[in-house]
Amino acid sequence: SDEDILFQENSRESRMQVGERVYSFMEWLSTRQEDVVAIASHSGWLLTTFNGILECDEKLKAWFHTGEMRTVVLEFVKT
C-alpha cells in the first residue's frame, strides 16, 4: 500500500524516535547478504544517521543538500 503508517498529521517524530528508527534500519541492514546497496532518504534522516548512530568522519556529519550523494562503506561490528 502507498499509505504511510508512521505519518501522524498532528505530530512529528522526536529526534529520539528518528534515532531509534535509524538504529533499527541499521540492524536490519547488517543482516543483508549484499555487498553493495544504495540508500535514498531525506536529509534529516541522514543527518541523524551520521551524527547520532554511526561513528564516522566529521565530513559526513554535514547537512546533505538536495540531490546530494555520498559514498560510504559501513562495517558492522558484532559485540
Side-chain angles (χ1 to χ4, degrees):
S1 139
D2 287 339
E3 184 177 340
D4 183 348
I5 61 172
L6 297 177
F7 176 75
Q8 297 177 16
E9 189 172 332
N10 297 319
S11 67
R12 296 183 68 150
E13 285 181 291
S14 68
R15 289 181 184 167
M16 180 65 78
Q17 290 170 316
V18 173
E20 289 169 350
R21 192 159 52 92
V22 170
Y23 190 85
S24 293
F25 174 77
M26 289 296 163
E27 286 183 316
W28 172 83
L29 186 61
S30 74
T31 68
R32 304 295 301 168
Q33 297 301 311
E34 295 87 357
D35 291 328
V36 177
V37 297
I39 299 168
S41 184
H42 59 81
S43 56
W45 192 90
L46 294 167
L47 191 69
T48 300
T49 301
F50 289 103
N51 284 276
I53 305 301
L54 301 177
E55 294 180 16
C56 62
D57 189 277
E58 289 297 316
K59 294 182 294 186
L60 293 173
K61 295 182 177 187
W63 188 259
F64 279 73
H65 298 284
T66 302
E68 181 180 353
M69 292 180 10
R70 297 180 191 174
T71 301
V72 298
V73 175
L74 298 178
E75 178 182 0
F76 295 102
V77 179
K78 302 286 185 189
T79 57

